Amino acid sequence: MKLLYFAWVRERVGRAEETAEAPAGVSTIGELIAWLRSRGPEYEHAFESDAIRAAIDRRHAKPDAKIAGAREIAFFPPMTGG
Amino acid sequence: MAVRVQTELFDAGRETADLGAGHVDAGAVVTFTGLCRPNADSGAPLEALTLECYPEMAKEELSRIEAEARARWPLLDALIVHRHGRIRPGEPIVLVATLSPHRAAAFAAAEFVMDYLKTSAPFWKREETADGGAWVAAKAADDDALERWSRR
């Protein structure tokens, strides 16, 4: 699946997008975040805040949302548009 | 109905006239234009805002908000335009226009769209000041504004 990062999540991870396959047992957004945090200090820093929001295939998704079948998962801070 | 995400400036007067054209049954159009303020949240003079966005999701999310507004109020038409990129103080950032036979629906729908958009459309503001750049923090008041539209 494709992972997208925006705003300060993007800055901390150091890239705007990447392709990744989560290991077996990672089935929700919350579990995906926990796995990403284990990938290195930049991810640990990016995901240390529990304010981070996620979207699955361009729809807002809660931490318990299932990621099976997702093509595109995005992570970003709380929104500040308008 | 229309939703646009763009970097270009827009002319709120022209957009509003275009929206109303052809709707002989309209009795009210309400427009809201959000402007870039001259100061950062810290109070320091602002040189510019840079709005980052997730363009594909922004269009879909704004369309979902517009559809929800049309489900709640009898709108003849609606328009949402949201800019991204670098925006200078005084420039418009966002336009919401709602067209209805009567004013109550147009006012309520425009306010609903703005309240929803603030907390759910994927845009992020970064302030540029003489001290450098800083991401704008989300405001609790925006979450509170959304609460009043809760139906359940």
Side-chain angles (χ1 to χ4, degrees), chain B residues 116-128:
Chain B
Y116 251 83
L117 178 161
K118 293 287 287 186
T119 53
S120 82
F123 293 87
W124 302 274
K125 290 188 181 113
R126 186 175 172 82
E127 296 173 334
E128 273 176 54

Side-chain angles (χ1 to χ4, degrees), chain B residues 35-93:
Chain B
L35 305 175
C36 178
R37 275 184 284 267
N39 294 98
D41 282 352
S42 67
L46 185 74
E47 290 176 10
L49 280 179
T50 298
L51 269 92
E52 182 165 329
C53 106
Y54 179 3
E56 300 85 359
M57 180 176 169
K59 281 180 225 158
E60 291 185 17
E61 188 67 18
L62 292 177
S63 296
R64 285 191 281 267
I65 295 168
E66 190 197 37
E68 179 66 23
R70 292 166 75 95
R72 292 183 182 216
W73 292 280
L75 302 181
L76 298 168
D77 209 344
L79 172 69
I80 307 174
V81 182
H82 204 306
R83 293 179 66 204
H84 60 105
R86 195 160 189 268
I87 296 175
R88 310 272 303 187
E91 287 185 12
I93 302 172

Side-chain angles (χ1 to χ4, degrees), chain A residues 4-8 10-11 53-55 57-60 72-82, chain B residues 52-54 56-57 60-61 64 82 93-94 117-126 135-138:
Chain A
L4 304 178
Y5 309 109
F6 292 95
W8 54 255
R10 170 181 55 74
E11 290 180 340
R53 310 294 178 85
D57 294 335
R58 304 171 184 174
R59 283 178 178 269
H60 290 293
E72 183 174 295
I73 299 182
F75 295 100
F76 41 80
M79 288 136 285
T80 55
Chain B
E52 182 165 329
C53 106
Y54 179 3
E56 300 85 359
M57 180 176 169
E60 291 185 17
E61 188 67 18
R64 285 191 281 267
H82 204 306
I93 302 172
V94 60
L117 178 161
K118 293 287 287 186
T119 53
S120 82
F123 293 87
W124 302 274
K125 290 188 181 113
R126 186 175 172 82
W135 291 101
V136 172

Side-chain angles (χ1 to χ4, degrees), chain A residues 10-33:
Chain A
R10 170 181 55 74
E11 290 180 340
R12 290 179 182 184
V13 169
R15 62 183 76 180
E17 63 174 82
E18 64 182 315
T19 301
E21 291 309 322
V26 171
S27 64
T28 65
I29 288 289
E31 289 164 4
L32 182 60
I33 288 175

Side-chain angles (χ1 to χ4, degrees), chain B residues 87-110:
Chain B
I87 296 175
R88 310 272 303 187
E91 287 185 12
I93 302 172
V94 60
L95 172 71
V96 172
T98 53
L99 195 70
S100 178
H102 299 283
R103 72 181 186 282
F107 271 123

